[in-house]
Amino acid sequence: MGANPFPFLALLLFFRSLPAVAAAAGAEQPFVGVNMGTDVSNLLPPADLAALIEAQQIKHVRLYDADPGILSALAGAGVSVAVGVPNNQLLALGSSPATAAAWVARHVLPFHPDTPISAVAVGDEVPTALPSVLPLLLPALRSLSAALAAANLSSIPVSTPLPFSVILDPFPPSQAYFNQSLANGFLTPLLRFLNDTAAPLMLNLYPYYAFMQGRGAIPLDNALFKPLRPALEEVDPNTLLHYTNVLDAMIDAAYVAMRNLNFTSVPVLITETGWPANGSRRDEPYATRELASTYNSNVIRHVLDRAGTPLRPEVTPSVFIYELFDEDLRPGPASEASWGLFYGNGTPVYLLHVAGAGGFLANDTTDRTYCVAAEGADRRGLQAALDWACGPGRANCSEIQPGESCYAPNDVTSHASYAFDSYFQKEGKAAGSCYFQGVAMVTTTDPSHGDCIFPGSKQMNVTGAGMNTTQTSKAGIPSALRLRTGIEHDHIIPMILSIILVVSTLSWNHVLILAAMN
């Protein structure tokens, strides 16, 4: 018939033939940074903010403006800052090169290089957030880039963060393409500008929203970077590349969309990604501290391990975690105020597990870490995990026996919490030792009560009852929440419906048997 009997092989070879410049880009060390919004009640003063950033060994920060107090406080701290231009300034900057030069003179020159400015992010998700000023976005980019070059700072890249919704049909990644209504008038000249100035394509990528809008088609573990058996991985039928996580599939979709416009050397910078730690139980049941910790811990490991993507294993994009603080002053649904790693007063919302990252974001500022039953955990799952912890796991469960100090209250949640913490402390709080098939979570609140002292408290020589010393943020989580403009990924739903997944789940009995064998 004359047709190529191996079309997928031809496609794979085609995509693998991307220019060697990609390998050169991959030689640069990828980093993990943190976004810092300031819509926070009782936000720490700039000097304390700088101290927290240094204590957490954060070396890359993205601001949504160019706050002079924060930039001054970070002078000499060795922290690179990507400064932002708010959407409401685009009209002036896009209309007047002189205004752009004045912006650079005011927001960059007084601080750089004492506070290294690593990039200028112009606007935020403008195609969807403020499409009326889109015609002025490219002129603003060009004017700011020219102003930086005139100040001998052409090494500072200028780009604009885009929502993932500009990419259509993103799975399988090999068939992704840019929204045609934006391609000719905006995206092609944007990519040409980025290519000419060695600036990255900035993208806000949220596997959380892909999972939530997937209606069960995407396994939770796939969104969280948890390992799947090969048979359960998403496979691109055109390239036969296996995708072990949603974020890599999103990145490769961007590479392919750019390739379709004949751009192969523009790197990707993920300006936002994260997972909310709280939300409406009915509408967002997966917005939990445990899952937020899992996603952010795993994405940090993924980047620092320089894992690359299936399509470009030699290139690992850098990432900014969204975000440093819960922004409780944002309007919108409950999860929108709950993306932070810390409350506004500097205490952690949850703990990350990033062992081996050199102290980066080791955010247990209280040094009090416990493992307890996760909120809303299934009773049968808790019972199975309790049986394993007190059996094959060899946790010390003597205190939850009848007549002992932690027997009351006599319910599976209380007993499981004690057993989980006993195992967690015995294992030295090692990564993965507070998982128990998803029914446990790490907390900084001491669960001791009455005469019942948990193992984590005993190890710190804490005596007495009810030592709940963890501070509570005054920046409480409001009933209203703010929808970020990048949420409206309606195109994700048809993408997901095209995915054929066979998901099988081991029963708890099998889990216990496997664990005992190990």
Side-chain angles (χ1 to χ4, degrees), residues 205-217:
L205 304 182
Y206 286 97
Y208 170 76
Y209 290 124
F211 167 73
M212 288 296 295
Q213 296 174 8
R215 301 173 182 174

Side-chain angles (χ1 to χ4, degrees), residues 33 44 88 98 107 129 138 168 216 256 272 305 323 417 446 473 498:
L44 295 171
N88 60 13
H107 297 292
L138 271 169
L168 302 182
V256 172
E272 289 181 12
D305 285 347
E323 60 184 329
S417 289
D446 190 341
S473 172
S498 70

Side-chain angles (χ1 to χ4, degrees), residues 345-365:
N345 62 7
T347 58
V349 177
Y350 54 83
L351 300 181
L352 294 170
H353 300 282
V354 287
F360 172 70
L361 277 177
N363 66 333
D364 181 8
T365 58

Side-chain angles (χ1 to χ4, degrees), residues 111-436:
F111 309 104
H112 184 86
D114 291 341
T115 300
I117 305 301
S118 61
V120 178
V122 184
D124 191 28
E125 301 191 341
V126 175
T128 53
L130 199 61
S132 61
V133 302
L134 189 60
L136 293 171
L137 181 54
L138 271 169
L141 290 168
R142 294 189 180 108
S143 293
L144 286 167
S145 180
L148 288 167
N152 294 320
L153 293 176
S154 58
S155 60
I156 298 178
V158 179
S159 186
T160 183
L162 298 177
F164 187 58
S165 57
V166 299
I167 299 172
L168 302 182
D169 207 8
F171 193 88
S174 60
Q175 67 186 31
Y177 60 95
F178 283 117
N179 185 326
Q180 293 303 299
S181 66
L182 297 172
N184 293 330
F186 171 65
L187 289 168
T188 296
L190 171 66
L191 291 170
R192 186 176 298 114
F193 167 79
L194 299 178
N195 185 72
D196 292 345
T197 59
L201 175 66
M202 295 179 171
L203 288 171
N204 296 341
L205 304 182
Y206 286 97
Y208 170 76
Y209 290 124
F211 167 73
M212 288 296 295
Q213 296 174 8
R215 301 173 182 174
I218 293 178
L220 178 61
D221 285 355
N222 195 249
L224 294 171
F225 289 85
K226 287 185 178 180
L228 294 170
R229 288 188 293 123
L232 303 181
E233 294 173 357
E234 298 177 13
V235 180
D236 188 322
N238 297 316
T239 62
L240 296 189
L241 294 174
H242 285 236
Y243 286 87
T244 60
N245 65 82
V246 175
L247 187 68
D248 280 352
M250 289 176 151
I251 296 168
D252 279 355
Y255 288 144
V256 172
M258 286 193 286
R259 177 64 183 83
N260 288 337
L261 295 181
N262 296 316
F263 293 95
T264 58
S265 58
V266 176
V268 169
L269 173 62
I270 302 173
T271 37
E272 289 181 12
T273 193
W275 197 283
N278 188 43
S280 164
R281 284 294 184 90
R282 186 189 69 174
D283 299 328
E284 295 186 277
Y286 297 95
T288 69
R289 287 181 293 173
E290 175 202 358
L291 297 183
S293 172
T294 298
Y295 178 81
N296 285 326
S297 297
N298 287 342
V299 77
I300 290 169
R301 286 195 211 97
H302 189 68
V303 173
L304 297 185
D305 285 347
R306 305 185 70 174
T309 68
L311 186 58
R312 291 190 179 179
E314 75 284 358
V315 179
T316 301
S318 295
V319 165
F320 284 95
I321 300 291
Y322 185 80
E323 60 184 329
L324 188 61
F325 296 113
D326 273 355
E327 291 190 89
D328 61 302
L329 300 181
R330 295 281 193 181
S335 63
E336 282 304 309
S338 305
W339 292 78
L341 303 175
F342 294 88
Y343 296 112
N345 62 7
T347 58
V349 177
Y350 54 83
L351 300 181
L352 294 170
H353 300 282
V354 287
F360 172 70
L361 277 177
N363 66 333
D364 181 8
T365 58
T366 62
D367 196 31
R368 294 176 178 270
T369 317
Y370 310 87
C371 181
V372 296
E375 299 172 2
D378 174 69
R379 187 182 183 282
R380 292 176 61 185
L382 284 173
Q383 185 64 59
L386 170 61
D387 293 342
W388 184 87
C390 295
R394 298 184 180 180
N396 183 354
C397 298
S398 59
E399 293 297 316
I400 55 175
Q401 302 305 311
E404 299 299 328
S405 59
C406 294
Y407 180 70
N410 181 21
D411 60 72
V412 66
T413 300
S414 299
H415 287 186
S417 289
Y418 187 93
F420 293 169
D421 192 54
S422 175
Y423 180 80
F424 183 58
Q425 305 299 335
K426 177 179 74 73
E427 295 297 310
K429 307 180 184 180
S433 60
C434 185
Y435 178 58
F436 294 98

Side-chain angles (χ1 to χ4, degrees), residues 439-462:
V439 298
M441 69 178 191
V442 174
T443 181
T444 56
T445 299
D446 190 341
S448 301
H449 53 89
D451 293 331
C452 176
I453 308 302
F454 268 55
S457 294
K458 292 177 182 178
Q459 289 193 6
M460 293 181 293
N461 296 317
V462 176

